[in-house]
Amino acid sequence: DSYKYPRIKLEKLKLISRRHEDALKEKVIIANMTSRLEAFYDKGEYLAAKSTIMVADSELDLMVLTGILNSKLLTFYYRIKYKSTQMQGGALSLSKHRVQNIPIPDLNDEIINKIKKTVKRLKKDFNQNDIECLDDIVYKLYKLTEDEQKYLKSFNI
């Protein structure tokens, strides 16, 4: 069980590292060296592992950032923009600086609420319908045309 669900008590973490402060922060944990952007919203329960990027200081609501990062569009964007940094097998090499420089359009309350609701649903039950719903919200946010949306939907990410 300890290999399936590794845990360290906060008291012990404090003895060996100052990273316990990171564990208690609201943050987005982003997997590094994966074939697509994979972000996880954490309200302050997890410690980001060595091969992850942690974003805790963002002007954008972190749950909204999580939703946008997990979209097909953002993986596509990142693959094009940072093509030269990809590993031989196609894994993306992420950095906090690159993630924080992803252009995010102006958000209204309706979009923010839709993204947050979808991220909450996905956190409870990861399913294809909500993934596609999130993609559709992000396509509209970035004002993609029908043809652009169709292309991305057919793109294998």
PDB file of all heavy atoms in Angstrom, residues 23-56:
ATOM      1  N   ALA A  23       3.294  22.285   0.322  1.00  0.00           N
ATOM      2  CA  ALA A  23       2.221  21.294   0.412  1.00  0.00           C
ATOM      3  C   ALA A  23       0.921  21.923   0.899  1.00  0.00           C
ATOM      4  O   ALA A  23      -0.159  21.505   0.494  1.00  0.00           O
ATOM      5  CB  ALA A  23       2.632  20.155   1.346  1.00  0.00           C
ATOM      6  N   LEU A  24       1.020  22.938   1.719  1.00  0.00           N
ATOM      7  CA  LEU A  24      -0.168  23.548   2.317  1.00  0.00           C
ATOM      8  C   LEU A  24      -0.786  24.656   1.463  1.00  0.00           C
ATOM      9  O   LEU A  24      -1.854  25.156   1.781  1.00  0.00           O
ATOM     10  CB  LEU A  24       0.180  24.105   3.701  1.00  0.00           C
ATOM     11  CG  LEU A  24       0.682  23.058   4.706  1.00  0.00           C
ATOM     12  CD1 LEU A  24       1.141  23.731   5.996  1.00  0.00           C
ATOM     13  CD2 LEU A  24      -0.376  22.016   4.976  1.00  0.00           C
ATOM     14  N   LYS A  25      -0.122  25.025   0.379  1.00  0.00           N
ATOM     15  CA  LYS A  25      -0.618  26.099  -0.489  1.00  0.00           C
ATOM     16  C   LYS A  25      -1.656  25.592  -1.476  1.00  0.00           C
ATOM     17  O   LYS A  25      -1.582  24.459  -1.946  1.00  0.00           O
ATOM     18  CB  LYS A  25       0.524  26.668  -1.337  1.00  0.00           C
ATOM     19  CG  LYS A  25       1.534  27.468  -0.616  1.00  0.00           C
ATOM     20  CD  LYS A  25       2.581  27.950  -1.614  1.00  0.00           C
ATOM     21  CE  LYS A  25       3.719  28.658  -0.914  1.00  0.00           C
ATOM     22  NZ  LYS A  25       4.782  29.006  -1.869  1.00  0.00           N
ATOM     23  N   GLU A  26      -2.580  26.486  -1.841  1.00  0.00           N
ATOM     24  CA  GLU A  26      -3.425  26.229  -2.996  1.00  0.00           C
ATOM     25  C   GLU A  26      -2.509  26.326  -4.214  1.00  0.00           C
ATOM     26  O   GLU A  26      -1.691  27.248  -4.306  1.00  0.00           O
ATOM     27  CB  GLU A  26      -4.542  27.273  -3.086  1.00  0.00           C
ATOM     28  CG  GLU A  26      -5.428  27.077  -4.290  1.00  0.00           C
ATOM     29  CD  GLU A  26      -6.392  28.228  -4.524  1.00  0.00           C
ATOM     30  OE1 GLU A  26      -6.093  29.366  -4.109  1.00  0.00           O
ATOM     31  OE2 GLU A  26      -7.437  27.974  -5.138  1.00  0.00           O
ATOM     32  N   LYS A  27      -2.646  25.360  -5.137  1.00  0.00           N
ATOM     33  CA  LYS A  27      -1.717  25.340  -6.257  1.00  0.00           C
ATOM     34  C   LYS A  27      -2.244  24.504  -7.411  1.00  0.00           C
ATOM     35  O   LYS A  27      -3.218  23.764  -7.265  1.00  0.00           O
ATOM     36  CB  LYS A  27      -0.361  24.791  -5.815  1.00  0.00           C
ATOM     37  CG  LYS A  27      -0.432  23.358  -5.298  1.00  0.00           C
ATOM     38  CD  LYS A  27       0.833  22.984  -4.570  1.00  0.00           C
ATOM     39  CE  LYS A  27       0.666  21.823  -3.626  1.00  0.00           C
ATOM     40  NZ  LYS A  27      -0.166  22.051  -2.464  1.00  0.00           N
ATOM     41  N   VAL A  28      -1.560  24.633  -8.524  1.00  0.00           N
ATOM     42  CA  VAL A  28      -1.764  23.754  -9.661  1.00  0.00           C
ATOM     43  C   VAL A  28      -0.480  22.953  -9.795  1.00  0.00           C
ATOM     44  O   VAL A  28       0.614  23.523  -9.830  1.00  0.00           O
ATOM     45  CB  VAL A  28      -2.035  24.540 -10.962  1.00  0.00           C
ATOM     46  CG1 VAL A  28      -2.216  23.593 -12.134  1.00  0.00           C
ATOM     47  CG2 VAL A  28      -3.241  25.443 -10.813  1.00  0.00           C
ATOM     48  N   ILE A  29      -0.624  21.639  -9.841  1.00  0.00           N
ATOM     49  CA  ILE A  29       0.528  20.755 -10.034  1.00  0.00           C
ATOM     50  C   ILE A  29       0.444  20.250 -11.465  1.00  0.00           C
ATOM     51  O   ILE A  29      -0.575  19.700 -11.878  1.00  0.00           O
ATOM     52  CB  ILE A  29       0.510  19.584  -9.037  1.00  0.00           C
ATOM     53  CG1 ILE A  29       0.540  20.112  -7.602  1.00  0.00           C
ATOM     54  CG2 ILE A  29       1.687  18.640  -9.306  1.00  0.00           C
ATOM     55  CD1 ILE A  29       0.313  19.046  -6.541  1.00  0.00           C
ATOM     56  N   ILE A  30       1.514  20.460 -12.223  1.00  0.00           N
ATOM     57  CA  ILE A  30       1.527  20.116 -13.644  1.00  0.00           C
ATOM     58  C   ILE A  30       2.594  19.055 -13.883  1.00  0.00           C
ATOM     59  O   ILE A  30       3.749  19.232 -13.492  1.00  0.00           O
ATOM     60  CB  ILE A  30       1.812  21.355 -14.505  1.00  0.00           C
ATOM     61  CG1 ILE A  30       0.853  22.490 -14.122  1.00  0.00           C
ATOM     62  CG2 ILE A  30       1.704  21.030 -15.986  1.00  0.00           C
ATOM     63  CD1 ILE A  30       1.306  23.862 -14.577  1.00  0.00           C
ATOM     64  N   ALA A  31       2.177  17.975 -14.514  1.00  0.00           N
ATOM     65  CA  ALA A  31       3.120  16.894 -14.821  1.00  0.00           C
ATOM     66  C   ALA A  31       4.138  17.381 -15.841  1.00  0.00           C
ATOM     67  O   ALA A  31       3.801  18.095 -16.781  1.00  0.00           O
ATOM     68  CB  ALA A  31       2.364  15.686 -15.364  1.00  0.00           C
ATOM     69  N   ASN A  32       5.367  16.999 -15.653  1.00  0.00           N
ATOM     70  CA  ASN A  32       6.426  17.326 -16.607  1.00  0.00           C
ATOM     71  C   ASN A  32       6.804  16.055 -17.358  1.00  0.00           C
ATOM     72  O   ASN A  32       6.651  14.951 -16.848  1.00  0.00           O
ATOM     73  CB  ASN A  32       7.631  17.908 -15.873  1.00  0.00           C
ATOM     74  CG  ASN A  32       8.577  18.634 -16.806  1.00  0.00           C
ATOM     75  OD1 ASN A  32       8.300  18.828 -17.987  1.00  0.00           O
ATOM     76  ND2 ASN A  32       9.702  19.055 -16.273  1.00  0.00           N
ATOM     77  N   MET A  33       7.284  16.217 -18.565  1.00  0.00           N
ATOM     78  CA  MET A  33       7.719  15.102 -19.408  1.00  0.00           C
ATOM     79  C   MET A  33       6.577  14.147 -19.742  1.00  0.00           C
ATOM     80  O   MET A  33       6.703  12.938 -19.648  1.00  0.00           O
ATOM     81  CB  MET A  33       8.874  14.322 -18.757  1.00  0.00           C
ATOM     82  CG  MET A  33      10.070  15.164 -18.430  1.00  0.00           C
ATOM     83  SD  MET A  33      10.757  15.877 -19.898  1.00  0.00           S
ATOM     84  CE  MET A  33      12.052  16.855 -19.210  1.00  0.00           C
ATOM     85  N   THR A  34       5.426  14.710 -20.118  1.00  0.00           N
ATOM     86  CA  THR A  34       4.290  13.912 -20.565  1.00  0.00           C
ATOM     87  C   THR A  34       3.956  14.314 -21.998  1.00  0.00           C
ATOM     88  O   THR A  34       4.404  15.348 -22.484  1.00  0.00           O
ATOM     89  CB  THR A  34       3.046  14.134 -19.683  1.00  0.00           C
ATOM     90  OG1 THR A  34       2.666  15.509 -19.755  1.00  0.00           O
ATOM     91  CG2 THR A  34       3.306  13.743 -18.246  1.00  0.00           C
ATOM     92  N   SER A  35       3.152  13.517 -22.661  1.00  0.00           N
ATOM     93  CA  SER A  35       2.824  13.795 -24.058  1.00  0.00           C
ATOM     94  C   SER A  35       1.757  14.877 -24.214  1.00  0.00           C
ATOM     95  O   SER A  35       1.552  15.395 -25.304  1.00  0.00           O
ATOM     96  CB  SER A  35       2.376  12.510 -24.756  1.00  0.00           C
ATOM     97  OG  SER A  35       1.228  12.004 -24.128  1.00  0.00           O
ATOM     98  N   ARG A  36       1.055  15.197 -23.139  1.00  0.00           N
ATOM     99  CA  ARG A  36       0.059  16.272 -23.170  1.00  0.00           C
ATOM    100  C   ARG A  36       0.093  17.006 -21.840  1.00  0.00           C
ATOM    101  O   ARG A  36       0.589  16.463 -20.839  1.00  0.00           O
ATOM    102  CB  ARG A  36      -1.340  15.714 -23.441  1.00  0.00           C
ATOM    103  CG  ARG A  36      -1.877  14.783 -22.366  1.00  0.00           C
ATOM    104  CD  ARG A  36      -3.261  14.240 -22.654  1.00  0.00           C
ATOM    105  NE  ARG A  36      -4.245  15.249 -22.956  1.00  0.00           N
ATOM    106  CZ  ARG A  36      -4.940  15.942 -22.042  1.00  0.00           C
ATOM    107  NH1 ARG A  36      -4.751  15.715 -20.760  1.00  0.00           N
ATOM    108  NH2 ARG A  36      -5.824  16.841 -22.386  1.00  0.00           N
ATOM    109  N   LEU A  37      -0.409  18.235 -21.839  1.00  0.00           N
ATOM    110  CA  LEU A  37      -0.461  18.977 -20.584  1.00  0.00           C
ATOM    111  C   LEU A  37      -1.432  18.288 -19.632  1.00  0.00           C
ATOM    112  O   LEU A  37      -2.558  17.966 -20.006  1.00  0.00           O
ATOM    113  CB  LEU A  37      -0.919  20.415 -20.827  1.00  0.00           C
ATOM    114  CG  LEU A  37       0.057  21.321 -21.577  1.00  0.00           C
ATOM    115  CD1 LEU A  37      -0.568  22.683 -21.811  1.00  0.00           C
ATOM    116  CD2 LEU A  37       1.353  21.467 -20.827  1.00  0.00           C
ATOM    117  N   GLU A  38      -0.979  18.033 -18.427  1.00  0.00           N
ATOM    118  CA  GLU A  38      -1.799  17.407 -17.395  1.00  0.00           C
ATOM    119  C   GLU A  38      -1.635  18.209 -16.119  1.00  0.00           C
ATOM    120  O   GLU A  38      -0.567  18.215 -15.523  1.00  0.00           O
ATOM    121  CB  GLU A  38      -1.362  15.962 -17.153  1.00  0.00           C
ATOM    122  CG  GLU A  38      -1.565  15.047 -18.340  1.00  0.00           C
ATOM    123  CD  GLU A  38      -1.078  13.633 -18.071  1.00  0.00           C
ATOM    124  OE1 GLU A  38      -0.958  13.249 -16.882  1.00  0.00           O
ATOM    125  OE2 GLU A  38      -0.816  12.927 -19.038  1.00  0.00           O
ATOM    126  N   ALA A  39      -2.709  18.898 -15.732  1.00  0.00           N
ATOM    127  CA  ALA A  39      -2.666  19.755 -14.559  1.00  0.00           C
ATOM    128  C   ALA A  39      -3.666  19.261 -13.519  1.00  0.00           C
ATOM    129  O   ALA A  39      -4.732  18.761 -13.862  1.00  0.00           O
ATOM    130  CB  ALA A  39      -2.977  21.192 -14.953  1.00  0.00           C
ATOM    131  N   PHE A  40      -3.309  19.430 -12.261  1.00  0.00           N
ATOM    132  CA  PHE A  40      -4.137  18.988 -11.139  1.00  0.00           C
ATOM    133  C   PHE A  40      -4.305  20.149 -10.165  1.00  0.00           C
ATOM    134  O   PHE A  40      -3.310  20.725  -9.707  1.00  0.00           O
ATOM    135  CB  PHE A  40      -3.461  17.797 -10.447  1.00  0.00           C
ATOM    136  CG  PHE A  40      -4.132  17.349  -9.181  1.00  0.00           C
ATOM    137  CD1 PHE A  40      -5.310  16.624  -9.223  1.00  0.00           C
ATOM    138  CD2 PHE A  40      -3.584  17.658  -7.942  1.00  0.00           C
ATOM    139  CE1 PHE A  40      -5.944  16.207  -8.053  1.00  0.00           C
ATOM    140  CE2 PHE A  40      -4.197  17.238  -6.763  1.00  0.00           C
ATOM    141  CZ  PHE A  40      -5.381  16.517  -6.833  1.00  0.00           C
ATOM    142  N   TYR A  41      -5.540  20.497  -9.859  1.00  0.00           N
ATOM    143  CA  TYR A  41      -5.812  21.551  -8.882  1.00  0.00           C
ATOM    144  C   TYR A  41      -5.738  20.948  -7.482  1.00  0.00           C
ATOM    145  O   TYR A  41      -6.352  19.921  -7.205  1.00  0.00           O
ATOM    146  CB  TYR A  41      -7.193  22.174  -9.112  1.00  0.00           C
ATOM    147  CG  TYR A  41      -7.592  23.097  -7.996  1.00  0.00           C
ATOM    148  CD1 TYR A  41      -7.051  24.368  -7.906  1.00  0.00           C
ATOM    149  CD2 TYR A  41      -8.481  22.684  -7.009  1.00  0.00           C
ATOM    150  CE1 TYR A  41      -7.395  25.218  -6.864  1.00  0.00           C
ATOM    151  CE2 TYR A  41      -8.839  23.524  -5.964  1.00  0.00           C
ATOM    152  CZ  TYR A  41      -8.282  24.777  -5.900  1.00  0.00           C
ATOM    153  OH  TYR A  41      -8.615  25.609  -4.856  1.00  0.00           O
ATOM    154  N   ASP A  42      -4.977  21.600  -6.609  1.00  0.00           N
ATOM    155  CA  ASP A  42      -4.849  21.141  -5.224  1.00  0.00           C
ATOM    156  C   ASP A  42      -5.121  22.310  -4.290  1.00  0.00           C
ATOM    157  O   ASP A  42      -4.489  23.361  -4.400  1.00  0.00           O
ATOM    158  CB  ASP A  42      -3.442  20.596  -4.983  1.00  0.00           C
ATOM    159  CG  ASP A  42      -3.195  20.256  -3.530  1.00  0.00           C
ATOM    160  OD1 ASP A  42      -4.118  19.749  -2.863  1.00  0.00           O
ATOM    161  OD2 ASP A  42      -2.073  20.512  -3.046  1.00  0.00           O
ATOM    162  N   LYS A  43      -6.040  22.117  -3.376  1.00  0.00           N
ATOM    163  CA  LYS A  43      -6.377  23.190  -2.435  1.00  0.00           C
ATOM    164  C   LYS A  43      -5.413  23.248  -1.252  1.00  0.00           C
ATOM    165  O   LYS A  43      -5.574  24.072  -0.359  1.00  0.00           O
ATOM    166  CB  LYS A  43      -7.821  23.046  -1.956  1.00  0.00           C
ATOM    167  CG  LYS A  43      -8.121  21.769  -1.239  1.00  0.00           C
ATOM    168  CD  LYS A  43      -9.592  21.677  -0.886  1.00  0.00           C
ATOM    169  CE  LYS A  43      -9.855  20.353  -0.207  1.00  0.00           C
ATOM    170  NZ  LYS A  43     -11.251  20.152   0.089  1.00  0.00           N
ATOM    171  N   GLY A  44      -4.398  22.402  -1.238  1.00  0.00           N
ATOM    172  CA  GLY A  44      -3.394  22.450  -0.183  1.00  0.00           C
ATOM    173  C   GLY A  44      -3.241  21.143   0.561  1.00  0.00           C
ATOM    174  O   GLY A  44      -2.994  21.133   1.761  1.00  0.00           O
ATOM    175  N   GLU A  45      -3.362  20.026  -0.165  1.00  0.00           N
ATOM    176  CA  GLU A  45      -3.284  18.712   0.475  1.00  0.00           C
ATOM    177  C   GLU A  45      -2.097  17.875   0.001  1.00  0.00           C
ATOM    178  O   GLU A  45      -1.757  16.888   0.631  1.00  0.00           O
ATOM    179  CB  GLU A  45      -4.568  17.927   0.190  1.00  0.00           C
ATOM    180  CG  GLU A  45      -5.803  18.588   0.734  1.00  0.00           C
ATOM    181  CD  GLU A  45      -7.081  17.869   0.345  1.00  0.00           C
ATOM    182  OE1 GLU A  45      -7.176  17.329  -0.778  1.00  0.00           O
ATOM    183  OE2 GLU A  45      -8.000  17.846   1.165  1.00  0.00           O
ATOM    184  N   TYR A  46      -1.490  18.259  -1.120  1.00  0.00           N
ATOM    185  CA  TYR A  46      -0.462  17.419  -1.732  1.00  0.00           C
ATOM    186  C   TYR A  46       0.853  18.169  -1.885  1.00  0.00           C
ATOM    187  O   TYR A  46       0.876  19.385  -2.039  1.00  0.00           O
ATOM    188  CB  TYR A  46      -0.908  16.933  -3.116  1.00  0.00           C
ATOM    189  CG  TYR A  46      -2.127  16.061  -3.065  1.00  0.00           C
ATOM    190  CD1 TYR A  46      -3.399  16.589  -3.216  1.00  0.00           C
ATOM    191  CD2 TYR A  46      -2.016  14.690  -2.830  1.00  0.00           C
ATOM    192  CE1 TYR A  46      -4.535  15.792  -3.151  1.00  0.00           C
ATOM    193  CE2 TYR A  46      -3.132  13.885  -2.764  1.00  0.00           C
ATOM    194  CZ  TYR A  46      -4.396  14.440  -2.927  1.00  0.00           C
ATOM    195  OH  TYR A  46      -5.498  13.651  -2.859  1.00  0.00           O
ATOM    196  N   LEU A  47       1.917  17.418  -1.875  1.00  0.00           N
ATOM    197  CA  LEU A  47       3.245  17.958  -2.123  1.00  0.00           C
ATOM    198  C   LEU A  47       3.604  17.629  -3.567  1.00  0.00           C
ATOM    199  O   LEU A  47       3.506  16.472  -3.982  1.00  0.00           O
ATOM    200  CB  LEU A  47       4.263  17.314  -1.167  1.00  0.00           C
ATOM    201  CG  LEU A  47       5.709  17.746  -1.333  1.00  0.00           C
ATOM    202  CD1 LEU A  47       5.856  19.233  -1.012  1.00  0.00           C
ATOM    203  CD2 LEU A  47       6.605  16.931  -0.413  1.00  0.00           C
ATOM    204  N   ALA A  48       3.975  18.627  -4.324  1.00  0.00           N
ATOM    205  CA  ALA A  48       4.346  18.409  -5.724  1.00  0.00           C
ATOM    206  C   ALA A  48       5.615  17.568  -5.783  1.00  0.00           C
ATOM    207  O   ALA A  48       6.578  17.829  -5.062  1.00  0.00           O
ATOM    208  CB  ALA A  48       4.555  19.748  -6.415  1.00  0.00           C
ATOM    209  N   ALA A  49       5.607  16.550  -6.624  1.00  0.00           N
ATOM    210  CA  ALA A  49       6.755  15.650  -6.749  1.00  0.00           C
ATOM    211  C   ALA A  49       7.882  16.312  -7.545  1.00  0.00           C
ATOM    212  O   ALA A  49       7.716  17.384  -8.123  1.00  0.00           O
ATOM    213  CB  ALA A  49       6.322  14.353  -7.423  1.00  0.00           C
ATOM    214  N   LYS A  50       8.994  15.630  -7.595  1.00  0.00           N
ATOM    215  CA  LYS A  50      10.196  16.153  -8.240  1.00  0.00           C
ATOM    216  C   LYS A  50       9.975  16.459  -9.717  1.00  0.00           C
ATOM    217  O   LYS A  50      10.448  17.457 -10.227  1.00  0.00           O
ATOM    218  CB  LYS A  50      11.334  15.142  -8.075  1.00  0.00           C
ATOM    219  CG  LYS A  50      12.630  15.590  -8.665  1.00  0.00           C
ATOM    220  CD  LYS A  50      13.711  14.567  -8.429  1.00  0.00           C
ATOM    221  CE  LYS A  50      15.002  14.995  -9.097  1.00  0.00           C
ATOM    222  NZ  LYS A  50      16.022  13.990  -8.982  1.00  0.00           N
ATOM    223  N   SER A  51       9.258  15.627 -10.432  1.00  0.00           N
ATOM    224  CA  SER A  51       9.099  15.797 -11.877  1.00  0.00           C
ATOM    225  C   SER A  51       7.829  16.558 -12.234  1.00  0.00           C
ATOM    226  O   SER A  51       7.181  16.273 -13.232  1.00  0.00           O
ATOM    227  CB  SER A  51       9.109  14.427 -12.556  1.00  0.00           C
ATOM    228  OG  SER A  51       8.046  13.649 -12.063  1.00  0.00           O
ATOM    229  N   THR A  52       7.471  17.544 -11.417  1.00  0.00           N
ATOM    230  CA  THR A  52       6.287  18.353 -11.675  1.00  0.00           C
ATOM    231  C   THR A  52       6.642  19.830 -11.608  1.00  0.00           C
ATOM    232  O   THR A  52       7.691  20.214 -11.100  1.00  0.00           O
ATOM    233  CB  THR A  52       5.165  18.064 -10.654  1.00  0.00           C
ATOM    234  OG1 THR A  52       5.634  18.397  -9.343  1.00  0.00           O
ATOM    235  CG2 THR A  52       4.709  16.622 -10.696  1.00  0.00           C
ATOM    236  N   ILE A  53       5.722  20.630 -12.115  1.00  0.00           N
ATOM    237  CA  ILE A  53       5.809  22.082 -12.008  1.00  0.00           C
ATOM    238  C   ILE A  53       4.690  22.492 -11.065  1.00  0.00           C
ATOM    239  O   ILE A  53       3.577  21.977 -11.150  1.00  0.00           O
ATOM    240  CB  ILE A  53       5.562  22.755 -13.385  1.00  0.00           C
ATOM    241  CG1 ILE A  53       6.435  22.170 -14.489  1.00  0.00           C
ATOM    242  CG2 ILE A  53       5.667  24.267 -13.292  1.00  0.00           C
ATOM    243  CD1 ILE A  53       7.879  22.446 -14.400  1.00  0.00           C
ATOM    244  N   MET A  54       4.970  23.438 -10.182  1.00  0.00           N
ATOM    245  CA  MET A  54       3.952  23.913  -9.259  1.00  0.00           C
ATOM    246  C   MET A  54       3.712  25.398  -9.515  1.00  0.00           C
ATOM    247  O   MET A  54       4.660  26.179  -9.566  1.00  0.00           O
ATOM    248  CB  MET A  54       4.406  23.711  -7.819  1.00  0.00           C
ATOM    249  CG  MET A  54       3.348  24.094  -6.806  1.00  0.00           C
ATOM    250  SD  MET A  54       3.941  23.999  -5.107  1.00  0.00           S
ATOM    251  CE  MET A  54       4.692  25.606  -4.941  1.00  0.00           C
ATOM    252  N   VAL A  55       2.456  25.763  -9.703  1.00  0.00           N
ATOM    253  CA  VAL A  55       2.087  27.174  -9.867  1.00  0.00           C
ATOM    254  C   VAL A  55       1.150  27.534  -8.721  1.00  0.00           C
ATOM    255  O   VAL A  55       0.067  26.979  -8.602  1.00  0.00           O
ATOM    256  CB  VAL A  55       1.400  27.435 -11.229  1.00  0.00           C
ATOM    257  CG1 VAL A  55       0.963  28.881 -11.338  1.00  0.00           C
ATOM    258  CG2 VAL A  55       2.314  27.054 -12.382  1.00  0.00           C
ATOM    259  N   ALA A  56       1.611  28.431  -7.872  1.00  0.00           N
ATOM    260  CA  ALA A  56       0.793  28.874  -6.746  1.00  0.00           C
ATOM    261  C   ALA A  56       0.555  30.375  -6.809  1.00  0.00           C
ATOM    262  O   ALA A  56      -0.351  30.882  -6.166  1.00  0.00           O
ATOM    263  CB  ALA A  56       1.460  28.506  -5.421  1.00  0.00           C
TER     264      ALA A  56
END
